[in-house]
Amino acid sequence: MKRTFYLTSLFSILSFTLTAQSALIPIETANNALVLHITSSKDLQTIYYGRRLSDTTEYTLVPAAYRQPGDPSGLFNSAYTPSGSRNLIEPAISVTHADGNYSLDLRFVSQQVTRISDDVSQVAILLKDPVYDFEVTLYYKSYYKEDVIEQWSAIRHHEKGNVILHKYASANLHLQAESYWLRQYHGDWAKEMQPEEARLTHGIKTLDSKLGARADLYQPPVFMVSLNKPATEDEGTVLYGGVEWSGNFRIDLEVDPQDNLRILAGINNYASPYTLAPNEVFATPPCWYSLSDKGKGDASRKVQRWARDHKLLDGKGARLTLLNNWESTYFDFNEARLAELLKDTKKLGVDLFLLDDGWFANKYPRNDDHAGLGDWQPNRSKLPNGITSLVKEAQTDGVKFGIWVEPEMVNPKSELYEQHPDWVVKQAKREEHYFRNQLVLDLTNPKVQDFVYGVVDNLFTQNPALAYIKWDCNAVMYNAASATLKDQSHFYVDYVHGLYKVLERLRAKYPKVPMMLCSGGGGRVDYGALQYFSEYWPSDNTDPLERIFIQWEYSYFYPAIASSNHVTDWGKQPLKFRTDVAMMGKLGFDIVVSKLSPNDLQYVTSAVNTYNTIKDLVWQGDQYRLSNPSDNSVASILYMDEGKSRGVVFSYLVNARYGAGSPLPIRLKGLDPAKKYHIREIDLYPGVASSLEKGKVYSGDFLMKVGINPDVHTGRASVVLALNEDK
């Protein structure tokens, strides 16, 4: 089977041969340059990654500017480090040749350049082993305006027999600085995106996952590295990066003997040696990275723009505001109760009603999470008229209808498991071990791929007006094995390819239907998956205080339009606080509307209207973090439009101690210093007046140098301010 992520034949390709005078390959973006060098022996090296130079010929002067210990191998700064020959450090690629030899050497042969658009270019560099008929093509896809580069590799051979790939990284970066500070993340269910920062020392720091599915549960595939000192929001040089892969990933960060930093990222080779037949192509998933010398805020804005413009499904489009039934009903509902919730959806003023878990299975009804997964027929007891009647009822009520599925999973207590035990990921001779009372279906099996595709396709076929899918994935893999896969060491890799095949088929038929990427919270958030989904679920923890911190950390890597934030009954904060926090993304509700007090109902319907006036700023505006909740009593974030004429500031009290609040003004960012801005408080609770002076006009210069005080305290725990240019 041929695996590729990008087919260069889709584009017109300009090919040329390097001369002695053009032994450099600069991959440039608006502000940065990644410079590769071909040595006289045809080794491909990374000699520079940093601010681009005005004169590209001066990149040849870079190596002499560093006085470092010798490199006896000549491979410390290899652009794609092979193993088993001269290499002495962590390899990007390791193989066993058809004759059993473990050594690999990769020398430059040629390059091809593709101009994809005014913003996007792609360089393909062919490397070959001078002894074995083995080759690797390195791809560098640069996004000029956004300062983002994607890198991946395509591996092929023409040997007389199979070759085994033991390691196969996507990217192999080389950085030079005085010191390196890694900001990484860990977590668990309801504790996603917990940050840690420390200086990297000699040796190898590995960030990885071995969970198979829901791979981000404990460790997300993103990181940031500050050079020379920890970067702040607005100062310092920082590299952001991530792996676009929805399975096991691995990121190695090695401070080498020359005190330089090597970063190798891609699929985790854990339990995954891959047998490659002659002429077969193994294409690794892209790894993305972006560099900024203006701090973490500038880096994240570049990444967010890149994601909206190039990676996220419909990143420049609209999103639906919804009401979900999960925390209102859990598994306990029927047609009559859902009919009431549909009317509540209309009353609330949102776009869509989402029916969550519990609507399916008959022999083993889905009345809790112990049974029914895999049996995707409407439960006749709860829904005697099926899903179709609910979709029609929603249309009558003037709202859209969406539904929850978890098609990759199965409960042992299900008809699917009884009929197809060979479709389940498990070791035949070992005792089954369950995660949330369920197992994972084997997506390496084409029959299972057809089944999973059919689950979603049948819902759309039977209900053409279905407007939204919440796609869940709640289990990890235990006893990982396939009943049908010939080579079990291919399992973890081929599972993800199987998942992507299903999603590609669905998107080919339903290209624009919004789908939420849910995985027990943020268990599967990466740009490999987000090319198929319009949004992700950051966490099942919807306590608004916790969500401020979780959403804050996600925002370094993902745009607000992709973050699905629901107002629920978690936490002790007022309804306004919960709603204001959820507005920092794609707003949704999971509340019992019928139980709201008159004032709460009045507030929340007004809040939906308010959100509709500012959601374009949140979704497409530039995000500026103003006050970090980890360092201050108040968290504050600004979203500003590209023309610097409109903005919205969210501020929240995150410290409940006596006297906590905002004694000092908060300085804004991203404004035009020459413009005048009118500021007013919005999203007020009924009967509550703003404590801020009305009609006041400030210059952008004043607001960025002095600031404005939102007057946050225990009596005003969340404040939303609208900025409009005064013309």
Side-chain angles (χ1 to χ4, degrees):
M1 180 176 66
K2 191 172 183 180
R3 284 163 291 273
T4 57
F5 281 74
Y6 294 94
L7 299 177
T8 56
S9 60
L10 293 176
F11 310 111
S12 60
I13 296 176
L14 171 65
S15 180
F16 57 90
T17 302
L18 289 168
T19 66
Q21 289 75 32
S22 59
L24 295 180
I25 306 176
I27 300 165
E28 295 188 321
T29 59
N31 296 289
N32 302 322
L34 173 68
V35 183
L36 307 178
H37 174 243
I38 301 96
T39 69
S40 58
S41 58
K42 300 299 183 181
D43 287 323
L44 183 67
Q45 300 176 334
T46 303
I47 62 167
Y48 183 74
Y49 186 28
R51 293 281 293 180
R52 62 181 294 186
L53 303 181
S54 300
D55 182 355
T56 57
T57 64
E58 288 194 310
Y59 290 125
T60 59
L61 305 177
V62 170
Y66 291 84
R67 301 291 183 181
Q68 296 183 314
D71 172 6
S73 69
L75 290 175
F76 284 1
N77 65 338
S78 171
Y80 199 70
T81 314
S83 69
S85 54
R86 294 171 288 139
N87 180 41
L88 302 172
I89 51 181
E90 185 66 23
I93 182 170
S94 179
V95 308
T96 301
H97 293 285
D99 65 0
N101 189 288
Y102 284 89
S103 69
L104 182 64
D105 196 2
L106 294 172
R107 305 296 177 99
F108 175 84
V109 176
S110 64
Q111 74 157 319
Q112 296 176 315
V113 178
T114 304
R115 178 85 166 186
I116 299 173
S117 70
D118 289 341
D119 185 38
V120 184
S121 297
Q122 182 172 290
V123 177
I125 302 172
L126 178 62
L127 308 176
K128 284 188 176 181
D129 190 306
V131 175
Y132 287 90
D133 200 351
F134 185 98
E135 65 187 49
V136 175
T137 303
L138 301 181
Y139 291 93
Y140 297 85
K141 191 173 185 179
S142 58
Y143 298 83
Y144 187 85
K145 291 183 295 185
E146 297 84 2
D147 281 328
V148 173
I149 296 174
E150 286 182 297
Q151 184 181 343
W152 70 97
S153 58
I155 304 166
R156 184 202 301 263
H157 73 93
H158 310 284
E159 299 183 23
K160 295 178 180 179
N162 294 336
V163 168
I164 300 174
L165 307 180
H166 299 287
K167 190 175 183 183
Y168 28 85
S170 298
N172 187 165
L173 283 172
H174 182 266
L175 301 169
Q176 295 177 295
E178 296 175 1
S179 59
Y180 313 94
W181 299 81
L182 171 66
R183 186 178 179 89
Q184 66 181 90
Y185 295 87
H186 66 94
D188 201 342
W189 181 81
K191 296 189 296 183
E192 288 82 0
M193 293 299 287
Q194 303 298 307
E196 294 177 326
E197 188 164 20
R199 181 172 179 168
L200 288 168
T201 57
H202 290 85
I204 300 176
K205 172 78 173 184
T206 298
L207 313 176
D208 75 340
S209 170
K210 304 179 180 72
L211 305 182
R214 198 179 174 188
D216 300 8
L217 176 62
Y218 302 136
Q219 177 82 63
V222 291
F223 64 93
M224 64 176 81
V225 174
S226 299
L227 306 185
N228 303 316
K229 62 180 181 180
T232 65
E233 194 67 25
D234 302 305
E235 295 180 342
T237 300
V238 61
L239 173 80
Y240 283 25
V243 181
E244 299 177 34
W245 182 247
S246 305
N248 295 344
F249 62 87
R250 174 173 171 175
I251 302 165
D252 294 322
L253 302 104
E254 179 179 22
V255 178
D256 70 15
Q258 292 184 324
D259 302 325
N260 300 321
L261 177 63
R262 305 174 66 252
I263 302 176
L264 301 99
I267 298 173
N268 196 342
N269 57 328
Y270 161 76
S272 299
Y274 209 95
T275 302
L276 194 65
N279 300 311
E280 184 180 8
V281 176
F282 184 94
T284 66
C287 172
W288 64 268
Y289 45 89
S290 181
L291 185 70
S292 172
D293 64 351
K294 297 181 177 62
K296 295 187 289 187
D298 179 66
S300 68
R301 285 186 290 277
K302 291 176 180 177
V303 171
Q304 290 169 3
R305 285 194 293 272
W306 167 73
R308 290 192 299 262
D309 291 345
H310 300 285
K311 299 305 296 185
L312 182 65
L313 181 72
D314 199 22
K316 303 295 287 185
R319 296 295 185 268
L320 298 170
T321 306
L322 61 82
L323 174 66
N324 193 8
N325 73 299
W326 178 244
E327 294 196 17
S328 303
T329 66
Y330 294 98
F331 295 98
D332 183 18
F333 56 81
N334 54 33
E335 278 187 354
R337 192 166 186 190
L338 294 180
E340 293 176 3
L341 291 174
L342 283 166
K343 289 182 172 54
D344 287 342
T345 307
K346 181 66 174 178
K347 184 188 302 182
L348 193 59
V350 298
D351 307 307
L352 177 138
F353 174 77
L354 172 62
L355 176 60
D356 214 293
D357 196 356
W359 58 267
F360 52 91
N362 290 289
K363 182 177 180 180
Y364 303 105
R366 183 71 168 172
N367 295 323
D368 54 40
D369 63 10
H370 289 76
L373 269 182
D375 302 342
W376 298 100
Q377 310 85 29
N379 180 272
R380 290 187 292 270
S381 176
K382 296 179 183 179
L383 306 175
N385 296 301
I387 299 299
T388 304
S389 67
L390 295 174
V391 176
K392 290 180 179 177
E393 177 68 24
Q395 290 178 308
T396 301
D397 291 331
V399 296
K400 298 179 185 296
F401 189 88
I403 200 164
W404 177 97
V405 292
E406 193 176 4
E408 299 165 68
M409 303 293 164
V410 63
N411 286 125
K413 193 174 181 180
S414 67
E415 292 183 83
L416 180 67
Y417 185 88
E418 292 175 344
Q419 296 166 6
H420 299 285
D422 59 324
W423 283 11
V424 177
V425 174
K426 61 178 181 177
Q427 295 278 354
K429 297 181 180 181
R430 298 197 182 277
E431 181 181 357
E432 292 179 357
H433 190 71
Y434 306 127
F435 194 107
R436 200 180 179 240
N437 311 302
Q438 64 194 59
L439 295 166
V440 182
L441 291 176
D442 176 16
L443 280 173
T444 70
N445 185 340
K447 292 182 180 178
V448 177
Q449 294 173 22
D450 290 340
F451 169 79
V452 173
Y453 169 82
V455 170
V456 181
D457 183 49
N458 289 338
L459 282 169
F460 282 120
T461 301
Q462 296 166 13
N463 308 281
L466 191 65
Y468 185 91
I469 295 289
K470 178 181 178 182
W471 185 303
D472 218 335
C473 170
N474 282 301
V476 301
M477 292 178 184
Y478 299 116
N479 299 315
S482 166
T484 59
L485 194 62
K486 180 180 178 181
D487 193 331
Q488 294 297 319
S489 68
H490 292 194
F491 176 78
Y492 283 122
V493 174
D494 286 357
Y495 175 86
V496 182
H497 284 302
L499 170 64
Y500 289 166
K501 281 186 175 182
V502 172
L503 293 169
E504 285 164 5
R505 288 175 65 187
L506 286 169
R507 280 309 176 195
K509 190 171 182 180
Y510 309 102
K512 291 292 188 179
V513 175
M515 292 203 304
M516 180 203 292
L517 177 62
C518 184
S519 191
R524 186 193 271 170
V525 183
D526 65 86
Y527 283 116
L530 281 172
Q531 63 185 314
Y532 305 108
F533 291 85
S534 52
E535 60 216 57
Y536 69 91
W537 183 238
S539 177
D540 281 348
N541 186 344
T542 54
D543 180 311
L545 184 60
E546 295 293 334
R547 268 300 189 104
I548 289 171
F549 291 86
I550 292 172
Q551 292 168 197
W552 183 280
E553 299 299 336
Y554 270 117
S555 75
Y556 286 115
F557 305 97
Y558 303 101
I561 190 174
S563 181
S564 189
N565 307 332
H566 289 185
V567 180
T568 74
D569 289 330
W570 279 47
K572 300 178 181 179
Q573 293 81 10
L575 179 61
K576 171 177 161 52
F577 189 100
R578 288 178 271 148
T579 305
D580 288 347
V581 172
M583 282 186 180
M584 290 192 301
K586 204 223 76 166
L587 176 65
F589 293 88
D590 203 334
I591 56 177
V592 184
V593 177
S594 61
K595 293 184 179 180
L596 295 176
S597 69
N599 277 348
D600 277 354
L601 179 60
Q602 181 183 345
Y603 163 73
V604 78
T605 54
S606 174
V608 170
N609 291 330
T610 298
Y611 179 70
N612 288 337
T613 68
I614 61 170
K615 62 187 181 184
D616 63 315
L617 293 169
V618 175
W619 295 349
Q620 303 297 336
D622 288 328
Q623 181 194 65
Y624 295 88
R625 300 175 200 86
L626 308 177
S627 180
N628 192 322
S630 297
D631 303 326
N632 302 282
S633 295
V634 173
S636 189
I637 287 182
L638 163 68
Y639 299 90
M640 199 74 192
D641 74 342
E642 187 175 1
K644 301 184 183 299
S645 60
R646 293 175 58 233
V648 59
V649 182
F650 297 91
S651 298
Y652 311 97
L653 183 67
V654 295
N655 182 354
R657 297 192 66 181
Y658 178 79
S662 58
L664 302 175
I666 293 175
R667 287 192 292 272
L668 306 189
K669 303 173 186 177
L671 280 59
D672 184 334
K675 288 183 177 180
K676 300 289 187 179
Y677 294 92
H678 178 269
I679 297 181
R680 64 185 179 90
E681 184 172 356
I682 60 174
D683 202 41
L684 290 160
Y685 193 81
V688 175
S690 174
S691 63
L692 303 184
E693 184 178 354
K694 294 181 180 179
K696 197 72 174 176
V697 175
Y698 306 85
S699 69
D701 183 61
F702 179 91
L703 291 171
M704 290 191 290
K705 291 178 179 176
V706 178
I708 186 168
N709 197 318
D711 190 25
V712 174
H713 52 76
T714 53
R716 282 170 52 85
S718 64
V719 176
V720 183
L721 303 178
L723 283 74
N724 287 279
E725 181 182 355
D726 188 64
K727 297 181 179 180

